[in-house]
């Protein structure tokens, strides 16, 4: 299944942000996110990987986040995306990996982002957060 590019780049980024943040907040399972990601065209998968890598950088992931995220992702620690995210500093060239590695990269990136973003929500937001992406309604999740 391949999705279409209607709605332009902004709509694509919004959809990615919603899916990734729903996974990070436990409103969508990682497997459901992988199903969504797997249905995208290869070029769109690369766009999504670039976008999520940006989220991970903004969340200021640590080496500990990388290790915990890899463990959560279900991807072997020796797989290329796992090794990349656990480097110090992490490597973010996931979109440049062969297409066969994209699902693994998605699983690793989203899992590591979820760890780091949860820490930031609990540390910096502490109930006063006004970031829309940290306050998603549960009823919109799939």
């Amino acid at each position: 299944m391949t999705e279409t590019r209607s709605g332009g780049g902004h709509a694509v980024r919004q959809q990615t942000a919603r899916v990734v943040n729903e996974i990070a907040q436990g409103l969508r399972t990682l497997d459901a996110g992988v199903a969504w990601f797997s249905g995208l065209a290869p070029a769109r998968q690369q766009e999504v990987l670039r976008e999520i890598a940006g989220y991970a950088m903004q969340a200021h992931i640590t080496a500990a986040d990388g290790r915990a995220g890899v463990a959560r992702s279900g991807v072997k620690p020796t797989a290329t995306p796992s090794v990349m995210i656990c480097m110090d500093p992490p490597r973010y060239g996931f979109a440049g990996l062969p297409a066969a590695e994209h699902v693994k990269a998605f699983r690793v990136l989203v899992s590591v982002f979820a760890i780091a973003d949860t820490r930031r929500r609990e540390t910096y937001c502490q109930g006063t957060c006004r970031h829309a992406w940290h306050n998603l309604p549960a009823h919109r999740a799939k």
Side-chain angles (χ1 to χ4, degrees):
M1 178 172 142
T2 305
E3 51 69 72
T4 61
R5 296 236 351 160
S6 63
H10 182 68
V12 166
R13 286 188 300 278
Q14 283 185 319
Q15 183 182 30
T16 299
R18 169 144 313 265
V19 170
V20 170
N21 280 289
E22 286 175 350
I23 295 168
Q25 295 172 42
L27 302 174
R28 182 187 299 240
T29 66
L30 179 57
D31 288 338
V34 167
W36 168 80
F37 180 79
S38 296
L40 303 175
R44 174 75 170 94
Q45 288 182 353
Q46 289 177 305
E47 291 175 34
V48 168
L49 291 174
R50 282 187 202 95
E51 191 77 17
I52 302 170
Y55 301 162
M57 283 188 278
Q58 289 176 343
H60 304 284
I61 65 169
T62 65
D65 295 337
R67 290 186 299 276
V70 167
R72 179 187 283 192
S73 74
V75 176
K76 291 181 181 180
T78 55
T80 300
S82 300
V83 172
M84 289 171 65
I85 204 71
C86 290
M87 294 176 118
D88 189 19
R91 304 301 186 266
Y92 292 104
F94 298 95
L97 291 171
E101 296 284 317
H102 287 176
V103 170
K104 291 178 194 173
F106 177 84
R107 293 183 74 88
V108 166
L109 277 170
V110 170
S111 297
V112 172
F113 170 75
I115 299 286
D117 193 58
T118 298
R119 182 188 68 249
R120 290 180 63 82
R121 278 194 319 272
E122 292 171 353
T123 304
Y124 297 107
C125 291
Q126 297 177 349
T128 62
C129 182
R130 293 189 181 155
H131 297 120
W133 59 90
H134 283 169
N135 295 291
L136 299 175
H139 69 280
R140 300 238 10 224
K142 293 178 183 175

